Amino acid sequence: MTLSNKPRTRRRRLGIAAAAAGLLAALLTAHPATATPDPGDAPAADKEVSRSAQAEVREALENGEIPGQDEIVHSANIEHLTNIPKDVLPGTNSDLAFQGRYAYAGNYDGFRIFDISNPRAPKTVAQVLCPGSQNDISVSGDLLFLSTDSSRSDSSCNSTTQPVTEKSSWEGMKVFDISDKRNPKYVAAVETACGSHTHTLLPERKNIYVYVSSYSPNAAYPDCQPPHDGISVIKVPRYAPEKAAVVGFPVLFPGEGADGGGNPGAPTNPGVSKTTGCHDITVLPSKDLAAGACMGDGILFSIKDPERPKVIDRVQDNVNFAFWHSATFNQDADKVVFTDELGGGGAATCNATVGPDRGADGIYDIVGKGDKRKLVFRSYYKIPRHQADTENCVAHNGSLIPVKGKDIMVQAWYQGGVSVWEFTDSKRPREIAYFERGPISTEQLVGGGSWSAYYYNGYIYSNDLVKGFDVLKLSDRRTDPAKRVRLDELNVQTQPDYFD
Protein backbone atom coordinates (compact mmCIF):
# COMPACT_ATOMS: atom_id res chain seq x y z
CA MET A 1 0.00 0.00 0.00
CA THR A 2 1.41 3.35 -1.02
CA LEU A 3 0.62 6.41 1.03
CA SER A 4 0.68 9.97 -0.20
CA ASN A 5 1.29 12.63 2.43
CA LYS A 6 0.39 15.62 0.34
CA PRO A 7 -2.54 16.51 -1.89
CA ARG A 8 -2.10 16.14 -5.64
CA THR A 9 -2.79 19.28 -7.61
CA ARG A 10 -3.77 17.42 -10.78
CA ARG A 11 -3.71 20.19 -13.32
CA ARG A 12 -4.39 17.92 -16.26
CA ARG A 13 -7.67 18.14 -18.12
CA LEU A 14 -9.03 14.66 -17.59
CA GLY A 15 -12.23 13.98 -19.46
CA ILE A 16 -11.65 15.92 -22.67
CA ALA A 17 -11.32 12.82 -24.83
CA ALA A 18 -14.42 11.15 -23.42
CA ALA A 19 -16.44 14.32 -23.83
CA ALA A 20 -15.35 14.58 -27.44
CA ALA A 21 -16.57 11.05 -27.98
CA GLY A 22 -20.00 12.05 -26.70
CA LEU A 23 -20.10 9.58 -23.80
CA LEU A 24 -20.07 12.07 -20.97
CA ALA A 25 -22.48 14.42 -22.69
CA ALA A 26 -24.99 11.60 -23.03
CA LEU A 27 -24.67 10.71 -19.36
CA LEU A 28 -25.18 14.27 -18.17
CA THR A 29 -28.14 15.21 -20.34
CA ALA A 30 -30.07 12.11 -19.31
CA HIS A 31 -32.25 12.31 -16.21
CA PRO A 32 -29.86 11.64 -13.34
CA ALA A 33 -32.05 9.08 -11.60
CA THR A 34 -34.56 6.83 -13.29
CA ALA A 35 -37.20 4.98 -11.35
CA THR A 36 -38.35 1.93 -13.22
CA PRO A 37 -38.48 0.03 -10.98
CA ASP A 38 -35.37 0.68 -8.84
CA PRO A 39 -34.95 4.46 -8.71
CA GLY A 40 -31.83 6.45 -8.08
CA ASP A 41 -28.49 5.51 -6.55
CA ALA A 42 -28.59 2.20 -8.39
CA PRO A 43 -25.33 0.31 -8.66
CA ALA A 44 -23.59 1.82 -11.64
CA ALA A 45 -23.49 -0.50 -14.61
CA ASP A 46 -20.12 -0.91 -16.28
CA LYS A 47 -19.84 1.43 -19.25
CA GLU A 48 -17.30 1.36 -22.05
CA VAL A 49 -15.22 4.48 -22.57
CA SER A 50 -13.47 5.54 -25.76
CA ARG A 51 -9.97 4.38 -26.62
CA SER A 52 -8.73 7.96 -26.38
CA ALA A 53 -10.15 8.22 -22.86
CA GLN A 54 -8.49 4.92 -21.91
CA ALA A 55 -5.19 6.22 -23.25
CA GLU A 56 -5.61 9.43 -21.27
CA VAL A 57 -6.17 7.44 -18.07
CA ARG A 58 -3.07 5.33 -18.73
CA GLU A 59 -1.01 8.45 -19.33
CA ALA A 60 -2.27 10.04 -16.12
CA LEU A 61 -1.34 6.89 -14.20
CA GLU A 62 2.14 6.80 -15.71
CA ASN A 63 2.67 10.48 -14.84
CA GLY A 64 1.48 9.97 -11.26
CA GLU A 65 -1.40 12.40 -11.72
CA ILE A 66 -3.91 9.90 -10.33
CA PRO A 67 -3.38 6.96 -7.96
CA GLY A 68 -2.71 3.55 -9.44
CA GLN A 69 -5.49 1.05 -9.86
CA ASP A 70 -6.91 0.41 -6.35
CA GLU A 71 -3.96 2.28 -4.82
CA ILE A 72 -4.81 4.06 -1.54
CA VAL A 73 -3.69 7.67 -1.14
CA HIS A 74 -4.57 10.23 1.49
CA SER A 75 -3.55 13.51 3.05
CA ALA A 76 -1.02 13.48 5.89
CA ASN A 77 -3.67 14.15 8.53
CA ILE A 78 -5.71 11.01 7.78
CA GLU A 79 -4.78 7.46 8.71
CA HIS A 80 -6.48 4.45 7.14
CA LEU A 81 -7.00 2.11 10.08
CA THR A 82 -8.69 -0.85 8.41
CA ASN A 83 -10.94 -2.20 5.70
CA ILE A 84 -13.50 -4.97 6.23
CA PRO A 85 -14.47 -6.51 2.87
CA LYS A 86 -18.02 -7.58 2.06
CA ASP A 87 -18.85 -11.06 3.29
CA VAL A 88 -22.10 -13.02 2.94
CA LEU A 89 -23.98 -10.02 1.53
CA PRO A 90 -22.66 -9.58 -2.02
CA GLY A 91 -24.81 -6.59 -2.98
CA THR A 92 -23.88 -2.92 -3.20
CA ASN A 93 -23.08 -1.32 0.16
CA SER A 94 -25.20 1.72 1.02
CA ASP A 95 -25.83 3.90 4.09
CA LEU A 96 -24.63 3.75 7.73
CA ALA A 97 -26.11 4.32 11.19
CA PHE A 98 -24.55 4.15 14.66
CA GLN A 99 -25.54 3.27 18.21
CA GLY A 100 -23.26 2.85 21.18
CA ARG A 101 -20.44 0.56 20.15
CA TYR A 102 -22.24 -0.62 17.01
CA ALA A 103 -22.26 0.45 13.38
CA TYR A 104 -25.07 -0.64 11.07
CA ALA A 105 -24.23 -0.93 7.38
CA GLY A 106 -26.88 -1.13 4.69
CA ASN A 107 -26.44 -3.34 1.66
CA TYR A 108 -28.77 -3.99 -1.27
CA ASP A 109 -29.02 -7.58 0.03
CA GLY A 110 -29.71 -6.69 3.68
CA PHE A 111 -27.64 -5.19 6.48
CA ARG A 112 -24.57 -5.91 8.57
CA ILE A 113 -23.90 -5.05 12.23
CA PHE A 114 -20.33 -4.28 13.35
CA ASP A 115 -18.96 -4.02 16.86
CA ILE A 116 -16.66 -0.98 16.62
CA SER A 117 -15.45 -0.99 20.23
CA ASN A 118 -11.99 -1.21 18.71
CA PRO A 119 -12.16 0.93 15.56
CA ARG A 120 -8.92 -0.61 14.32
CA ALA A 121 -10.49 -4.07 14.31
CA PRO A 122 -14.30 -4.01 13.89
CA LYS A 123 -16.00 -7.35 14.39
CA THR A 124 -19.06 -8.59 12.55
CA VAL A 125 -21.93 -9.24 14.97
CA ALA A 126 -24.66 -10.17 12.50
CA GLN A 127 -25.49 -10.20 8.80
CA VAL A 128 -29.16 -10.19 7.83
CA LEU A 129 -30.22 -11.24 4.35
CA CYS A 130 -33.22 -9.14 3.28
CA PRO A 131 -32.91 -7.98 -0.34
CA GLY A 132 -34.39 -4.68 -1.49
CA SER A 133 -32.93 -1.59 -3.10
CA GLN A 134 -31.38 0.37 -1.49
CA ASN A 135 -31.80 -0.68 2.12
CA ASP A 136 -31.30 2.81 3.51
CA ILE A 137 -30.83 2.25 7.25
CA SER A 138 -31.56 3.98 10.59
CA VAL A 139 -31.77 2.95 14.24
CA SER A 140 -33.61 4.21 17.32
CA GLY A 141 -33.52 2.39 20.65
CA ASP A 142 -34.29 -1.26 19.99
CA LEU A 143 -35.63 -0.65 16.48
CA LEU A 144 -33.90 -0.68 13.10
CA PHE A 145 -35.54 0.75 9.97
CA LEU A 146 -34.83 -0.38 6.42
CA SER A 147 -36.08 1.22 3.19
CA THR A 148 -37.21 -0.90 0.26
CA ASP A 149 -37.35 0.89 -3.08
CA SER A 150 -37.54 -2.03 -5.46
CA SER A 151 -40.68 -3.82 -6.50
CA ARG A 152 -40.93 -7.07 -4.52
CA SER A 153 -43.31 -10.03 -4.59
CA ASP A 154 -44.21 -9.40 -0.91
CA SER A 155 -42.89 -7.72 2.24
CA SER A 156 -40.89 -10.69 3.50
CA CYS A 157 -37.12 -11.05 3.43
CA ASN A 158 -37.62 -14.03 1.11
CA SER A 159 -39.36 -11.95 -1.54
CA THR A 160 -38.32 -11.86 -5.17
CA THR A 161 -38.36 -9.05 -7.71
CA GLN A 162 -41.70 -8.43 -9.39
CA PRO A 163 -42.88 -5.88 -11.97
CA VAL A 164 -43.90 -2.56 -10.45
CA THR A 165 -46.93 -2.60 -12.75
CA GLU A 166 -48.48 -5.45 -10.73
CA LYS A 167 -50.82 -4.35 -7.96
CA SER A 168 -49.65 -7.12 -5.61
CA SER A 169 -46.06 -5.82 -5.65
CA TRP A 170 -44.72 -4.39 -2.41
CA GLU A 171 -42.34 -1.51 -1.55
CA GLY A 172 -41.96 0.47 1.65
CA MET A 173 -40.48 0.39 5.18
CA LYS A 174 -39.33 -2.62 7.16
CA VAL A 175 -38.82 -2.58 10.94
CA PHE A 176 -36.55 -4.89 12.93
CA ASP A 177 -36.15 -5.47 16.67
CA ILE A 178 -32.42 -5.25 17.43
CA SER A 179 -32.54 -5.71 21.20
CA ASP A 180 -30.48 -8.84 20.52
CA LYS A 181 -27.79 -7.57 18.15
CA ARG A 182 -26.79 -11.08 17.17
CA ASN A 183 -30.32 -12.05 16.22
CA PRO A 184 -32.36 -9.16 14.77
CA LYS A 185 -36.05 -9.95 14.36
CA TYR A 186 -38.27 -8.64 11.59
CA VAL A 187 -41.35 -7.18 13.33
CA ALA A 188 -43.23 -4.86 10.96
CA ALA A 189 -43.69 -3.72 7.38
CA VAL A 190 -45.48 -0.65 6.07
CA GLU A 191 -46.18 -0.19 2.36
CA THR A 192 -45.73 3.37 1.10
CA ALA A 193 -46.58 5.10 -2.16
CA CYS A 194 -43.70 4.71 -4.63
CA GLY A 195 -41.75 2.70 -2.05
CA SER A 196 -39.09 4.13 0.24
CA HIS A 197 -35.93 5.33 -1.44
CA THR A 198 -34.66 6.92 1.76
CA HIS A 199 -36.19 7.71 5.13
CA THR A 200 -35.61 10.03 8.06
CA LEU A 201 -36.45 9.39 11.72
CA LEU A 202 -38.03 11.97 14.00
CA PRO A 203 -37.98 10.16 17.38
CA GLU A 204 -40.18 11.04 20.33
CA ARG A 205 -40.49 9.27 23.69
CA LYS A 206 -43.39 6.98 22.82
CA ASN A 207 -43.46 7.21 19.04
CA ILE A 208 -41.03 7.43 16.17
CA TYR A 209 -42.12 9.36 13.10
CA VAL A 210 -40.60 8.25 9.81
CA TYR A 211 -40.49 10.63 6.85
CA VAL A 212 -40.39 8.48 3.73
CA SER A 213 -38.84 9.94 0.59
CA SER A 214 -39.77 8.41 -2.77
CA TYR A 215 -40.37 9.68 -6.26
CA SER A 216 -40.91 9.10 -9.99
CA PRO A 217 -44.57 8.07 -10.22
CA ASN A 218 -46.13 6.64 -13.34
CA ALA A 219 -49.74 6.17 -14.36
CA ALA A 220 -48.91 2.51 -15.09
CA TYR A 221 -47.81 1.89 -11.47
CA PRO A 222 -50.83 1.01 -9.30
CA ASP A 223 -49.08 2.04 -6.05
CA CYS A 224 -47.16 5.01 -7.40
CA GLN A 225 -49.61 7.33 -9.12
CA PRO A 226 -48.91 10.93 -10.20
CA PRO A 227 -48.81 13.54 -8.89
CA HIS A 228 -46.49 12.34 -6.16
CA ASP A 229 -45.61 15.71 -4.69
CA GLY A 230 -45.09 14.95 -1.02
CA ILE A 231 -43.78 12.46 1.52
CA SER A 232 -45.32 9.57 3.43
CA VAL A 233 -45.35 9.96 7.22
CA ILE A 234 -45.29 6.74 9.27
CA LYS A 235 -46.01 6.66 13.00
CA VAL A 236 -44.30 3.81 14.85
CA PRO A 237 -45.23 3.14 18.50
CA ARG A 238 -41.85 2.48 20.09
CA TYR A 239 -43.11 -0.39 22.25
CA ALA A 240 -45.60 -1.77 19.74
CA PRO A 241 -43.86 -1.44 16.36
CA GLU A 242 -46.23 -3.98 14.81
CA LYS A 243 -48.81 -1.17 14.88
CA ALA A 244 -46.73 1.07 12.60
CA ALA A 245 -48.87 2.77 9.96
CA VAL A 246 -48.94 5.66 7.50
CA VAL A 247 -50.66 8.63 9.17
CA GLY A 248 -50.42 11.15 6.36
CA PHE A 249 -49.04 12.28 3.04
CA PRO A 250 -48.27 16.00 3.38
CA VAL A 251 -48.02 17.76 0.03
CA LEU A 252 -44.81 19.80 -0.21
CA PHE A 253 -45.27 20.98 -3.80
CA PRO A 254 -48.92 21.94 -4.26
CA GLY A 255 -50.00 22.50 -7.82
CA GLU A 256 -52.76 21.72 -10.25
CA GLY A 257 -52.81 18.80 -12.64
CA ALA A 258 -50.98 15.51 -12.82
CA ASP A 259 -47.54 17.13 -12.51
CA GLY A 260 -48.03 18.88 -9.17
CA GLY A 261 -46.16 22.09 -8.38
CA GLY A 262 -42.48 21.19 -8.26
CA ASN A 263 -39.71 21.94 -10.74
CA PRO A 264 -41.05 20.98 -14.20
CA GLY A 265 -37.63 19.82 -15.39
CA ALA A 266 -37.03 19.46 -19.12
CA PRO A 267 -37.83 20.99 -21.55
CA THR A 268 -38.49 24.05 -19.37
CA ASN A 269 -35.27 23.47 -17.42
CA PRO A 270 -33.02 21.23 -19.55
CA GLY A 271 -30.77 18.87 -17.62
CA VAL A 272 -32.75 19.31 -14.39
CA SER A 273 -34.82 16.56 -12.81
CA LYS A 274 -38.54 17.05 -12.67
CA THR A 275 -39.68 17.17 -9.04
CA THR A 276 -42.01 14.26 -8.26
CA GLY A 277 -41.18 13.85 -4.57
CA CYS A 278 -38.07 14.08 -2.40
CA HIS A 279 -34.85 12.12 -2.52
CA ASP A 280 -33.73 12.75 1.05
CA ILE A 281 -34.71 14.81 4.09
CA THR A 282 -32.60 15.91 7.04
CA VAL A 283 -34.28 16.99 10.27
CA LEU A 284 -32.82 19.11 13.05
CA PRO A 285 -35.21 18.29 15.91
CA SER A 286 -33.67 20.76 18.37
CA LYS A 287 -34.65 23.59 16.01
CA ASP A 288 -37.92 22.10 14.66
CA LEU A 289 -36.40 22.41 11.18
CA ALA A 290 -35.97 20.15 8.20
CA ALA A 291 -34.26 20.50 4.83
CA GLY A 292 -35.44 18.53 1.83
CA ALA A 293 -33.42 17.61 -1.24
CA CYS A 294 -36.22 17.04 -3.71
CA MET A 295 -34.95 16.27 -7.21
CA GLY A 296 -35.36 19.69 -8.83
CA ASP A 297 -35.92 21.68 -5.63
CA GLY A 298 -34.34 22.39 -2.27
CA ILE A 299 -36.74 23.20 0.55
CA LEU A 300 -36.66 24.40 4.15
CA PHE A 301 -39.61 23.45 6.32
CA SER A 302 -40.90 23.53 9.87
CA ILE A 303 -41.57 20.25 11.71
CA LYS A 304 -43.16 21.71 14.86
CA ASP A 305 -46.13 19.51 14.00
CA PRO A 306 -44.38 16.31 12.86
CA GLU A 307 -47.46 14.98 11.05
CA ARG A 308 -47.99 18.23 9.15
CA PRO A 309 -44.64 19.75 8.11
CA LYS A 310 -44.86 23.27 6.71
CA VAL A 311 -42.67 24.54 3.86
CA ILE A 312 -40.92 27.82 4.74
CA ASP A 313 -38.82 28.37 1.63
CA ARG A 314 -38.01 26.69 -1.66
CA VAL A 315 -35.07 27.22 -4.03
CA GLN A 316 -33.96 25.97 -7.43
CA ASP A 317 -30.67 26.06 -9.33
CA ASN A 318 -31.53 25.45 -12.95
CA VAL A 319 -28.02 26.25 -14.16
CA ASN A 320 -25.76 23.92 -12.17
CA PHE A 321 -27.90 21.51 -10.14
CA ALA A 322 -29.30 18.44 -11.90
CA PHE A 323 -30.62 16.38 -8.97
CA TRP A 324 -30.98 17.69 -5.40
CA HIS A 325 -29.82 14.65 -3.44
CA SER A 326 -29.24 15.32 0.26
CA ALA A 327 -28.95 18.10 2.84
CA THR A 328 -26.83 18.92 5.91
CA PHE A 329 -27.42 21.72 8.43
CA ASN A 330 -24.55 23.38 10.23
CA GLN A 331 -24.72 23.31 14.02
CA ASP A 332 -26.14 26.85 14.36
CA ALA A 333 -28.89 26.11 11.84
CA ASP A 334 -28.00 29.17 9.79
CA LYS A 335 -26.62 27.20 6.81
CA VAL A 336 -27.60 24.20 4.71
CA VAL A 337 -25.33 22.23 2.39
CA PHE A 338 -27.25 20.60 -0.47
CA THR A 339 -25.63 18.01 -2.72
CA ASP A 340 -26.16 17.60 -6.45
CA GLU A 341 -26.04 14.00 -7.67
CA LEU A 342 -25.25 14.81 -11.28
CA GLY A 343 -25.31 11.66 -13.38
CA GLY A 344 -27.16 9.68 -10.69
CA GLY A 345 -23.97 8.39 -9.09
CA GLY A 346 -23.03 6.42 -12.18
CA ALA A 347 -21.07 8.98 -14.21
CA ALA A 348 -17.55 10.41 -14.22
CA THR A 349 -18.28 14.01 -13.27
CA CYS A 350 -15.17 14.97 -11.25
CA ASN A 351 -13.07 16.17 -14.17
CA ALA A 352 -12.13 19.40 -15.89
CA THR A 353 -14.83 18.98 -18.53
CA VAL A 354 -17.65 19.09 -15.99
CA GLY A 355 -15.93 21.76 -13.93
CA PRO A 356 -16.17 22.86 -10.29
CA ASP A 357 -19.82 23.92 -10.10
CA ARG A 358 -21.71 20.85 -11.34
CA GLY A 359 -22.01 17.62 -9.37
CA ALA A 360 -20.98 19.71 -6.37
CA ASP A 361 -22.29 20.92 -3.02
CA GLY A 362 -24.32 24.11 -2.87
CA ILE A 363 -23.87 26.15 0.31
CA TYR A 364 -26.88 28.20 1.38
CA ASP A 365 -27.20 30.62 4.29
CA ILE A 366 -30.48 30.71 6.19
CA VAL A 367 -31.43 34.34 6.72
CA GLY A 368 -34.37 35.87 8.58
CA LYS A 369 -36.47 34.49 11.40
CA GLY A 370 -39.34 32.10 11.92
CA ASP A 371 -41.51 31.32 8.94
CA LYS A 372 -39.92 34.17 7.01
CA ARG A 373 -36.53 32.48 6.82
CA LYS A 374 -34.97 32.23 3.36
CA LEU A 375 -32.30 30.11 1.72
CA VAL A 376 -29.64 32.31 0.12
CA PHE A 377 -27.01 30.76 -2.15
CA ARG A 378 -23.36 31.55 -1.30
CA SER A 379 -21.02 29.16 -3.15
CA TYR A 380 -20.24 25.69 -4.48
CA TYR A 381 -17.78 23.13 -3.15
CA LYS A 382 -16.28 20.27 -5.12
CA ILE A 383 -13.26 18.09 -4.44
CA PRO A 384 -10.13 19.71 -5.95
CA ARG A 385 -8.70 16.47 -7.38
CA HIS A 386 -9.74 15.43 -10.88
CA GLN A 387 -10.73 11.80 -11.25
CA ALA A 388 -10.39 9.52 -14.26
CA ASP A 389 -13.19 9.06 -16.79
CA THR A 390 -13.44 5.45 -15.61
CA GLU A 391 -14.42 6.58 -12.08
CA ASN A 392 -17.98 7.39 -11.04
CA CYS A 393 -17.67 10.48 -8.88
CA VAL A 394 -20.13 13.08 -7.56
CA ALA A 395 -21.16 14.70 -4.27
CA HIS A 396 -22.82 12.15 -1.96
CA ASN A 397 -23.54 11.47 1.73
CA GLY A 398 -21.67 13.19 4.56
CA SER A 399 -21.99 14.50 8.11
CA LEU A 400 -20.86 17.32 10.35
CA ILE A 401 -17.67 17.01 12.37
CA PRO A 402 -18.69 18.64 15.68
CA VAL A 403 -16.29 21.53 16.29
CA LYS A 404 -17.80 24.44 18.20
CA GLY A 405 -17.62 27.69 16.26
CA LYS A 406 -16.59 25.94 13.02
CA ASP A 407 -18.54 24.42 10.13
CA ILE A 408 -16.68 21.30 9.05
CA MET A 409 -18.00 18.13 7.46
CA VAL A 410 -16.80 14.87 6.01
CA GLN A 411 -18.33 13.64 2.78
CA ALA A 412 -18.34 10.68 0.40
CA TRP A 413 -17.70 11.20 -3.32
CA TYR A 414 -17.97 7.63 -4.63
CA GLN A 415 -14.63 6.93 -6.39
CA GLY A 416 -13.61 10.49 -5.57
CA GLY A 417 -13.13 9.09 -2.07
CA VAL A 418 -13.69 10.88 1.22
CA SER A 419 -13.25 14.63 1.64
CA VAL A 420 -13.07 16.66 4.87
CA TRP A 421 -13.87 20.30 4.18
CA GLU A 422 -14.70 23.52 5.97
CA PHE A 423 -17.48 26.00 5.13
CA THR A 424 -17.28 28.34 8.13
CA ASP A 425 -16.99 31.08 5.52
CA SER A 426 -19.93 30.20 3.27
CA LYS A 427 -18.34 31.92 0.30
CA ARG A 428 -14.91 30.29 0.64
CA PRO A 429 -15.17 26.55 1.34
CA ARG A 430 -11.90 24.62 1.41
CA GLU A 431 -10.74 21.02 1.73
CA ILE A 432 -8.60 20.14 4.74
CA ALA A 433 -8.17 16.36 4.36
CA TYR A 434 -8.91 13.51 1.95
CA PHE A 435 -8.75 9.75 1.39
CA GLU A 436 -9.26 7.88 -1.87
CA ARG A 437 -8.46 4.82 -3.91
CA GLY A 438 -7.29 4.77 -7.48
CA PRO A 439 -9.71 3.69 -10.22
CA ILE A 440 -11.22 0.22 -10.02
CA SER A 441 -10.70 -0.08 -13.77
CA THR A 442 -8.64 1.79 -16.33
CA GLU A 443 -10.57 0.33 -19.28
CA GLN A 444 -14.23 1.00 -18.48
CA LEU A 445 -16.39 3.03 -16.10
CA VAL A 446 -17.03 0.71 -13.15
CA GLY A 447 -19.24 1.76 -10.24
CA GLY A 448 -17.69 1.88 -6.79
CA GLY A 449 -16.31 4.13 -4.08
CA SER A 450 -17.62 5.60 -0.86
CA TRP A 451 -21.42 5.79 -0.57
CA SER A 452 -21.45 7.36 2.89
CA ALA A 453 -18.67 8.83 5.02
CA TYR A 454 -19.67 9.87 8.56
CA TYR A 455 -17.91 11.10 11.70
CA TYR A 456 -18.86 9.19 14.86
CA ASN A 457 -17.21 9.38 18.27
CA GLY A 458 -13.73 10.26 17.07
CA TYR A 459 -13.47 8.31 13.82
CA ILE A 460 -14.65 8.47 10.22
CA TYR A 461 -16.54 5.45 8.91
CA SER A 462 -17.06 4.90 5.20
CA ASN A 463 -19.17 2.29 3.43
CA ASP A 464 -17.64 1.58 0.03
CA LEU A 465 -20.01 0.17 -2.57
CA VAL A 466 -17.51 -2.48 -3.61
CA LYS A 467 -14.54 -2.55 -1.23
CA GLY A 468 -16.43 -2.75 2.06
CA PHE A 469 -16.28 -0.94 5.40
CA ASP A 470 -13.41 1.52 5.98
CA VAL A 471 -12.32 3.19 9.21
CA LEU A 472 -10.28 6.40 9.09
CA LYS A 473 -8.62 8.44 11.84
CA LEU A 474 -8.42 12.19 11.34
CA SER A 475 -5.69 14.03 13.27
CA ASP A 476 -5.80 17.79 12.73
CA ARG A 477 -5.81 20.69 15.18
CA ARG A 478 -8.88 22.09 13.41
CA THR A 479 -10.93 18.96 14.03
CA ASP A 480 -9.33 17.47 17.16
CA PRO A 481 -11.86 19.17 19.52
CA ALA A 482 -14.56 16.95 17.99
CA LYS A 483 -12.97 13.91 19.65
CA ARG A 484 -14.38 15.07 22.98
CA VAL A 485 -17.96 14.89 21.66
CA ARG A 486 -19.66 11.55 22.32
CA LEU A 487 -23.03 10.36 21.07
CA ASP A 488 -25.16 7.40 22.11
CA GLU A 489 -26.78 7.21 18.69
CA LEU A 490 -26.32 8.77 15.26
CA ASN A 491 -28.58 8.71 12.23
CA VAL A 492 -27.03 11.43 10.11
CA GLN A 493 -30.36 12.47 8.61
CA THR A 494 -31.58 13.08 12.17
CA GLN A 495 -28.99 15.67 13.10
CA PRO A 496 -28.19 15.95 16.81
CA ASP A 497 -27.54 19.14 18.71
CA TYR A 498 -23.94 18.27 19.50
CA PHE A 499 -23.46 20.97 22.13
CA ASP A 500 -26.84 21.07 23.87
Side-chain angles (χ1 to χ4, degrees):
M1 179 172 67
T2 302
L3 303 183
S4 171
N5 290 327
K6 60 181 180 179
R8 300 172 185 237
T9 55
R10 300 189 189 177
R11 294 172 182 165
R12 60 194 167 77
R13 295 183 57 79
L14 278 178
I16 300 299
L23 169 67
L24 193 60
L27 286 170
L28 301 186
T29 55
H31 286 295
T34 55
T36 319
D38 296 346
D41 294 319
D46 295 354
K47 301 181 182 73
E48 296 298 326
V49 299
S50 66
R51 291 184 179 181
S52 57
Q54 293 176 10
E56 191 176 70
V57 172
R58 288 193 294 270
E59 182 181 357
L61 288 168
E62 292 170 0
N63 293 338
E65 294 175 328
I66 61 174
Q69 190 168 351
D70 284 334
E71 177 190 2
I72 291 176
V73 296
H74 54 78
S75 54
N77 52 359
I78 277 186
E79 179 184 359
H80 184 216
L81 299 185
T82 191
N83 169 264
I84 309 297
K86 288 191 286 189
D87 191 4
V88 300
L89 302 176
T92 297
N93 281 334
S94 58
D95 211 8
L96 295 168
F98 305 88
Q99 189 180 65
R101 70 174 192 267
Y102 298 102
Y104 302 83
N107 178 287
Y108 276 50
D109 286 326
F111 63 93
R112 187 173 183 178
I113 303 177
F114 292 99
D115 183 333
I116 54 173
S117 300
N118 179 1
R120 293 181 180 272
K123 297 179 180 178
T124 298
V125 176
Q127 298 191 69
V128 177
L129 181 65
C130 195
S133 168
Q134 55 188 6
N135 278 340
D136 191 50
I137 193 167
S138 297
V139 292
S140 183
D142 287 337
L143 299 179
L144 179 147
F145 299 83
L146 208 63
S147 284
T148 300
D149 196 27
S150 56
S151 186
R152 313 296 299 181
S153 57
D154 56 58
S155 62
S156 76
C157 286
N158 297 317
S159 66
T160 57
T161 57
Q162 183 168 291
V164 71
T165 52
E166 293 189 19
K167 176 62 180 173
S168 63
S169 296
W170 184 92
E171 300 180 63
M173 288 298 309
K174 295 170 181 170
V175 185
F176 291 78
D177 183 327
I178 52 170
S179 53
D180 180 355
K181 303 294 187 290
R182 296 186 179 279
N183 186 31
K185 296 179 180 179
Y186 187 8
V187 296
V190 181
E191 187 170 16
T192 54
C194 299
S196 175
H197 191 64
T198 67
H199 67 270
T200 303
L201 302 188
L202 185 56
E204 296 182 334
R205 292 184 64 183
K206 293 184 179 180
N207 300 299
I208 302 168
Y209 286 97
V210 186
Y211 289 163
V212 176
S213 296
S214 56
Y215 53 93
S216 292
N218 189 302
Y221 302 165
D223 298 317
C224 185
Q225 292 286 297
H228 182 75
D229 46 15
I231 57 174
S232 296
V233 179
I234 299 174
K235 186 177 182 179
V236 184
R238 192 178 289 277
Y239 302 108
E242 69 279 1
K243 296 181 180 179
V246 174
V247 294
F249 187 85
V251 173
L252 303 178
F253 303 96
E256 297 180 359
D259 293 333
N263 195 319
T268 303
N269 298 315
V272 178
S273 284
K274 175 182 176 181
T275 298
T276 58
C278 290
H279 178 277
D280 210 346
I281 292 169
T282 294
V283 296
L284 191 56
S286 64
K287 307 292 185 182
D288 288 328
L289 273 180
C294 303
M295 305 181 72
D297 295 86
I299 59 173
L300 183 71
F301 54 104
S302 167
I303 53 172
K304 288 181 180 179
D305 183 343
E307 294 187 22
R308 285 170 282 276
K310 177 184 177 181
V311 175
I312 296 172
D313 194 26
R314 168 184 163 196
V315 290
Q316 297 178 354
D317 180 347
N318 294 319
V319 176
N320 288 315
F321 259 48
F323 188 87
W324 296 67
H325 177 276
S326 53
T328 303
F329 287 101
N330 69 334
Q331 180 58 38
D332 292 334
D334 58 10
K335 298 174 189 172
V336 181
V337 174
F338 288 103
T339 67
D340 172 25
E341 194 184 39
L342 176 68
T349 71
C350 298
N351 52 31
T353 305
V354 176
D357 296 340
R358 303 183 68 206
D361 295 314
I363 304 166
Y364 286 75
D365 283 353
I366 302 174
V367 300
K369 295 181 179 180
D371 289 351
K372 294 185 178 180
R373 283 171 286 191
K374 299 292 183 182
L375 292 164
V376 179
F377 174 76
R378 296 302 187 200
S379 66
Y380 298 106
Y381 169 76
K382 193 171 184 179
I383 55 173
R385 297 168 309 286
H386 289 150
Q387 305 296 305
D389 286 322
T390 57
E391 295 179 280
N392 60 312
C393 176
V394 75
H396 215 237
N397 294 343
S399 75
L400 286 185
I401 297 179
V403 179
K404 187 171 284 190
K406 299 287 185 181
D407 297 326
I408 301 173
M409 68 179 291
V410 59
Q411 187 176 2
W413 290 79
Y414 287 118
Q415 285 194 69
V418 174
S419 177
V420 178
W421 61 286
E422 181 175 357
F423 59 104
T424 305
D425 183 342
S426 302
K427 294 183 178 180
R428 295 175 180 82
R430 57 176 181 153
E431 184 174 75
I432 60 178
Y434 75 93
F435 165 89
E436 70 165 297
R437 290 180 170 90
I440 295 172
S441 170
T442 60
E443 302 298 323
Q444 58 184 351
L445 196 157
V446 176
S450 179
W451 178 290
S452 297
Y454 298 147
Y455 186 91
Y456 177 69
N457 291 354
Y459 296 89
I460 293 170
Y461 298 90
S462 167
N463 213 19
D464 188 291
L465 281 73
V466 175
K467 302 297 183 181
F469 185 69
D470 288 302
V471 185
L472 310 175
K473 183 178 180 182
L474 176 65
S475 298
D476 190 288
R477 59 179 177 76
R478 293 164 289 191
T479 58
D480 285 346
K483 296 177 182 179
R484 297 192 290 269
V485 178
R486 285 289 187 262
L487 299 176
D488 295 326
E489 192 171 270
L490 177 64
N491 301 295
V492 168
Q493 288 73 36
T494 308
Q495 278 192 224
D497 187 335
Y498 290 98
F499 304 108
D500 185 17

